[in-house]
Amino acid sequence: MDRFWSKCSIFLLAVLFFLANAFADSPRRVIIDTDPGIDDAMAILLALNSPELKVEALTVVPGNVDGRQGLENALKLVSLAGRCDLAVAGGARHPLNQKLITAQYWHGKNGLAGVELPASKCKAASRFGPDLIIELVHQYPHEITLIPIGPLTNIALAVSKDPSIVSLVKDIVIMGGSISGGNVNGAVEANIYGDPEAAAIVFNAGWMVTMVGSDVGERTLITRKYLADLQSLHGPESDFAAKLADFYLERAEKSGYQGAAMYDPLAVGVVIDPKLVTLKDMHVDVETKGEFTRGETVANRMGSEENNVLHGDHYEIDGVIVLKPNARVCLASDADRFLQLFISRLKGK
Ligand SMILES: [Ca+2]
């Protein structure tokens, strides 16, 4: 009898081991919320060519280009990749509380380095982007990782309409913010700058936001060496990515940099392989009022703040208030390993 039960236990353990492995190896379902965008396009192509990910949808947010151009770009991209099966949905038309700021200056007049892709064979989904996000999160509870790589307008709309998605997503990995200066001005990163109120909603929603900031993106550069490697094998997606990278590099070199920041692709990279970066839990607030700092992600690295109590005509420090972390902030990346991954996934595709 004992031998029978021990055989049963071994069998059960083997089944559990098999299931655990099968689960670990199954691709992660992701939704990319995007404002395509040169680095968005590179991020999307990386995601579509990575077996670790199963892209469920692209939702389009205004940012680098307006919503109409962004949707057209997203559809042309999935068409280039032969992925008309993917849901591509338009979303918000403007930020929550300010005018849209577009970035053709950095991304070319169509947002894709001026490279004209063939008309898309794919059709847009009839759903509103934030509604599609809500729908998919409920369809796959605890399985979806959101990867917002534009202003956070669509995510803020989704979470405001249905706060239950906060506990139902597996993860949210954003490209946005910075803890050491911005890329728009001294303090502020572009995606948060594009919609600070939306960012404040997303950071305060109750989930842990993994924040891949511009400061780390700017230390994760595609250089001429990597571009030459990408150009060494040809394919429609590879050639397109190389044209984008070339334009992007030329722009960066004119500004005195040795390479171009892989902002959005790194956020996708972190979902493919979290070991590519170093993360630290922090409490992050989004400044929405500052004269010079509207849109800054203010990170508390100590995990506490002073408690000042009014005593007559002055305040006294009465201990500290412990702050709960709401973000896993990316501090550094293994840039070479990421670039090698990026090139290897796209080369010749
Ligand atoms: Ca973007």
Side-chain angles (χ1 to χ4, degrees), residues 51-323:
E52 298 87 348
L53 308 183
K54 182 172 189 306
V55 183
E56 293 290 340
L58 302 182
T59 51
V60 176
V61 69
N64 290 325
V65 290
D66 65 29
R68 187 204 55 77
Q69 179 77 62
L71 185 60
E72 186 184 319
N73 291 352
L75 287 167
K76 283 179 170 173
L77 273 167
V78 294
S79 184
L80 177 75
R83 291 296 307 275
C84 284
D85 58 300
L86 254 182
V88 179
R93 283 305 166 110
H94 52 77
L96 297 185
N97 199 28
Q98 69 179 27
K99 282 197 168 32
L100 173 64
I101 306 159
T102 58
Q104 286 86 351
Y105 178 79
W106 298 111
H107 293 265
K109 64 174 168 40
N110 63 354
L112 297 178
V115 181
E116 289 298 342
L117 287 172
S120 178
K121 294 188 181 78
C122 315
K123 296 271 174 286
S126 56
R127 319 282 292 123
F128 180 53
D131 289 339
L132 181 62
I133 292 170
I134 292 170
E135 204 175 287
L136 286 168
V137 169
H138 282 281
Q139 190 178 338
Y140 301 111
H142 310 293
E143 287 187 40
I144 298 274
T145 296
L146 302 175
I147 314 179
I149 53 175
L152 289 161
T153 320
N154 281 343
I155 310 297
L157 288 172
V159 91
S160 302
K161 183 169 179 181
D162 183 356
S164 75
I165 65 168
V166 168
S167 59
L168 291 176
V169 300
K170 183 178 171 67
D171 220 341
I172 170 166
V173 179
I174 74 160
M175 189 282 128
S178 166
I179 58 166
S180 54
N183 58 0
V184 169
N185 56 33
V188 186
E189 181 280 326
N191 283 342
I192 311 295
Y193 188 71
D195 196 339
E197 280 74 19
I201 289 171
V202 171
F203 275 87
N204 291 319
W207 45 24
M208 283 293 277
V209 173
T210 300
M211 180 177 125
V212 182
S214 60
D215 45 355
V216 179
E218 279 149 21
R219 301 196 298 270
T220 311
L221 304 176
I222 187 162
T223 58
R224 290 278 162 202
K225 180 186 77 148
Y226 285 115
L227 176 58
D229 192 6
L230 182 60
Q231 287 166 328
S232 67
L233 281 178
H234 294 281
E237 293 170 65
S238 185
D239 291 349
F240 175 63
K243 282 181 197 163
L244 295 182
D246 188 32
F247 176 95
Y248 203 37
L249 261 162
E250 221 180 283
R251 262 261 162 248
E253 285 157 354
K254 272 184 196 159
S255 308
Y257 298 103
Q258 294 297 308
M262 295 293 270
Y263 297 121
D264 293 350
L266 182 61
V268 168
V270 170
V271 182
I272 295 171
D273 179 3
K275 291 197 180 71
L276 284 167
V277 294
T278 313
L279 299 170
K280 182 174 162 54
D281 288 1
M282 296 186 197
H283 184 86
V284 174
D285 283 310
V286 179
E287 174 61 82
T288 55
K289 297 189 178 71
E291 182 182 357
F292 304 107
T293 56
R294 181 172 148 75
E296 182 175 7
T297 45
V298 181
N300 187 308
R301 302 167 206 211
M302 303 172 301
S304 64
E305 62 186 9
E306 287 181 358
N307 181 29
N308 296 337
V309 177
L310 191 60
H311 282 259
D313 66 346
H314 69 285
Y315 287 90
E316 279 181 26
I317 300 165
D318 182 19
V320 294
I321 300 166
V322 175
L323 297 171

